[in-house]
Each structure stands twice: as structure tokens, then as C-alpha cells.
Amino acid sequence: MTATGIITAIIIGAIIGALGRLVVRGKQNISILVTIIVGIVAALLGTWIANLLNVNDTNGFDWLELIFQVVLAAIGVSIVAGMGGRKQTTP
């Protein structure tokens, strides 16, 4: 992978991760770095799923691939945000 490929993956990951965070309701206490990592993983998995279903190369913009990526990012954000756990207070 070239430097350009790495930079592109970071940019796409940030966009997909941010879109995933927008889809999830409420406040997520995760950092920008975690959002980018979740976005990169979601983008890769979404592209892989689109390839499996043969919807990765369509005329025009690949909306189905983007939907797969954003849904996976939303799931990833929910999982990572939920890993922080809820603090219980005792009276």
C-alpha cells in the first residue's frame, strides 16, 4: 500500500466513521482516532460485502456500498461506545 493509499484510507475512514456516529442516537464518548479506526474497518468490510453481493461496481455512485459502510460504522460506533460501560452508583 502506498502513502497515498494510506492517506485515502484515513480520510475515507474519518468520513465513514463520522457518518456512522451521526446515525447512532445519543452521545458517544469515543475519540476521533477511534472513530477513524471504526470508519476504516467499516469501509473495508462494507466494500467486501458489496463485492460478495456483486453490487460494488454500478453505473454512477455506489450507493449500496456506501450504505453497507455507514451501517457497519454505526454498529461499530455503538459497540465501541458501549464497551465503556455504564457506571453504577450505589446509594
Side-chain angles (χ1 to χ4, degrees):
M1 182 175 258
T2 64
T4 305
I6 293 170
I7 293 170
T8 303
I10 292 170
I11 293 169
I12 296 298
I15 293 169
I16 296 296
L19 289 172
R21 282 184 78 162
L22 287 174
V23 172
V24 177
R25 291 181 3 171
K27 186 176 186 317
Q28 302 87 34
N29 291 323
I30 59 175
S31 69
I32 297 292
L33 179 62
V34 173
T35 301
I36 292 171
I37 291 169
V38 168
I40 291 170
V41 171
L44 292 172
L45 286 174
T47 300
W48 181 69
I49 291 171
N51 284 334
L52 285 177
L53 299 175
N54 292 322
V55 295
N56 60 325
D57 191 21
T58 59
N59 293 332
F61 194 76
D62 294 329
W63 290 106
L64 289 174
E65 184 175 356
L66 178 65
I67 290 170
F68 290 145
Q69 293 170 340
V70 172
V71 167
L72 288 169
I75 292 169
V77 166
S78 296
I79 290 171
V80 171
M83 287 174 57
R86 296 178 189 223
K87 295 182 180 174
Q88 296 181 359
T89 57
T90 55

